[in-house]
Amino acid sequence: MLQRIQTLYLLGVFICALVLFFTPLASVTTSGNSYQFAIAGFDMVGNGIQKRIVSTLALVVLNALVCGISFLAIFTFKNRLKQILIARIGLLMLVLLVASLFYYFENALAVIGDLDKLNSANGQEVNYSVAASLPLLAIVLIILAIRAINQDEELVRSADRIR
């Protein structure tokens, strides 16, 4: 049934992953340049020009998998055990996404540091956007969805024992 609470949780995961495609996660400012980190890559922004420095195709693929898996889990409501399995795979993909986000962001900061050494810059200022917390919110939502699906499964099992 689509009116269960886990459907709302899984829909929240889908929306969080979808928003990640369109919003920058962080911005980095150095003495001379400004950079933006999004799910698609690390861009140098300045003077009306946007130039891609680091491309992150793996993040795009992982985020697309999270979108697809959460959408698929919504519509497998008739088979709760399969829905739990799909949601757990989605949780694994979200954890991989968060780890990959940190990895790519740190590598991009190192690339910026190397570029700015050439330009003799002194420091970096990193500003995280609200969208940077969306993968963590999605992890919480998918854990809540798994718990709700398990509760439904236990309820059905207890009703079967009574008969």
Side-chain angles (χ1 to χ4, degrees), residues 79-99:
N79 189 349
R80 284 175 299 281
L81 295 177
K82 188 175 182 181
Q83 191 178 27
I84 290 172
L85 177 67
I86 292 171
R88 286 182 179 165
I89 292 170
L91 179 63
L92 175 67
M93 291 295 159
L94 275 168
V95 170
L96 286 174
L97 178 68
V98 169

Side-chain angles (χ1 to χ4, degrees), residues 13-152:
V13 171
F14 177 75
I15 290 171
C16 286
L18 198 61
V19 168
L20 281 178
F21 280 120
F22 304 108
T23 57
L25 300 173
S27 62
V28 179
T29 0
T30 61
S31 61
N33 296 321
S34 180
Y35 304 92
Q36 276 189 338
F37 180 66
I39 206 93
F42 215 84
D43 299 332
M44 184 169 76
V45 181
N47 300 331
I49 300 170
Q50 188 169 357
K51 179 182 172 188
R52 174 85 17 109
I53 296 174
V54 177
S55 181
T56 55
L57 182 63
L59 292 178
V60 173
V61 169
L62 276 172
N63 198 37
L65 284 173
V66 168
C67 278
I69 286 172
S70 63
F71 194 73
L72 178 67
I74 290 172
F75 292 104
T76 57
F77 59 89
K78 290 185 180 181
N79 189 349
R80 284 175 299 281
L81 295 177
K82 188 175 182 181
Q83 191 178 27
I84 290 172
L85 177 67
I86 292 171
R88 286 182 179 165
I89 292 170
L91 179 63
L92 175 67
M93 291 295 159
L94 275 168
V95 170
L96 286 174
L97 178 68
V98 169
S100 298
L101 279 170
F102 283 118
Y103 174 76
Y104 279 110
F105 187 69
E106 289 300 319
N107 281 347
L109 284 179
V111 168
I112 288 174
D114 291 342
L115 287 175
D116 285 338
K117 285 180 187 173
L118 299 174
N119 298 333
S120 69
N122 291 336
Q124 298 174 345
E125 180 182 335
V126 179
N127 296 318
Y128 296 99
S129 70
V130 176
S133 63
L134 288 178
L136 300 175
L137 176 64
I139 287 175
V140 170
L141 288 174
I142 206 159
I143 289 172
L144 289 173
I146 291 170
R147 288 184 61 199
I149 297 167
N150 278 331
Q151 288 174 351
D152 276 0

